[in-house]
Amino acid sequence: MNSITAQLLAWYDAHRRDLPWRAPPGARPDPYHVWLSEIMLQQTTVATVRRRFPAFVARWPDVRALAATPLEEVLAAWAGLGYYARARNLHACARVVAERMGGRFPASVEALRRLPGIGPYTAAAVASIAFGVPVAALDANLERVMARLFAIDTPLPAGKREIAEAARALIPKERPGDFNQAAMDLGATVCRARNPQCDACPLRAHCLAHRRGIATTLPRKAAKKPKPV
Ligand code: SF4
């Protein structure tokens, strides 16, 4: 295993965030919990989802229970989480999985992508975390960590390709889901957008942006085109 990956995983083992949808260390994650949390997190903060997730799984302990509930009830329970299209897709996806897949989520990125409400990031997150598929789940946190680690200064969105290649090179065959979650946690708590805590970072010795003193300038965003008057 690459030493960057090994150090990131060791840091995760010691500092991972305790989130209600995560399985305890060493236990197999429940694909239903992983999927549900990823849909909830699409446009809602971790703090809010952390509060609301337990009530959802208490009321609907598995995908079949969710699928058997009228849409209106799911929409009512979604109140306050915003973007109701997500709740509609959540329900539609639950019905497909319950009725056509025997209540089991598919394990491949391609099959997950065909389900309602699942885009490239969510498919990669579910496949890697729930099923151990070695694929990078590129959210804003992982993008920021990769851009800084390798000093990738091609502005986004064009820079996403280089960032994805860097992440692909690091993703391990063992524990790919933990790698993705470790990068998410590092980006959220240490390699923060505005005020990176490089002194507390397990990757400091490898980080080109830190060495060059340019961490806060990365990832770069493309300059906005002036609006026509
Ligand atoms: S050393 Fe600093 S900039 Fe580099 S990955 Fe760590 S926190 Fe981010």
Side-chain angles (χ1 to χ4, degrees), residues 86-222:
R86 272 187 299 156
R88 291 179 200 284
N89 279 329
L90 183 88
H91 191 253
C93 182
R95 291 192 63 179
V96 173
V97 173
E99 291 166 15
R100 292 194 223 148
M101 299 175 165
R104 281 203 294 274
F105 281 86
S108 75
V109 171
E110 297 73 24
L112 285 161
R113 282 291 310 271
R114 288 195 284 274
L115 292 170
I118 299 193
Y121 163 77
T122 304
V126 174
S128 62
I129 298 168
F131 299 110
V133 178
V135 57
L138 282 165
D139 73 339
N141 286 318
L142 180 52
E143 279 179 7
R144 185 165 60 256
V145 172
M146 290 298 122
R148 289 175 174 174
L149 200 50
F150 299 102
I152 296 168
D153 64 358
T154 310
L156 299 177
K160 279 181 188 257
R161 235 189 48 199
E162 285 170 63
I163 289 172
E165 275 167 25
R168 243 195 313 274
L170 293 183
I171 192 102
K173 287 206 174 67
E174 284 162 28
R175 305 184 64 192
D178 283 351
F179 173 89
N180 283 324
Q181 292 179 105
M184 290 171 201
D185 284 12
L186 190 76
T189 61
V190 177
C191 192
R192 298 191 299 234
R194 292 235 176 90
N195 188 17
Q197 308 290 300
C198 298
D199 289 345
C201 181
L203 307 181
R204 191 177 62 236
H206 304 279
C207 181
L208 292 181
H210 172 62
R211 203 176 301 163
R212 296 176 192 170
I214 57 170
T216 51
T217 69
L218 299 176
R220 283 179 56 199
K221 298 213 171 82

Side-chain angles (χ1 to χ4, degrees), residues 12-13 16 22-29 175 178:
Y12 181 68
D13 290 339
R16 56 181 250 151
R22 284 185 176 168
R28 278 189 72 181
R175 305 184 64 192
D178 283 351

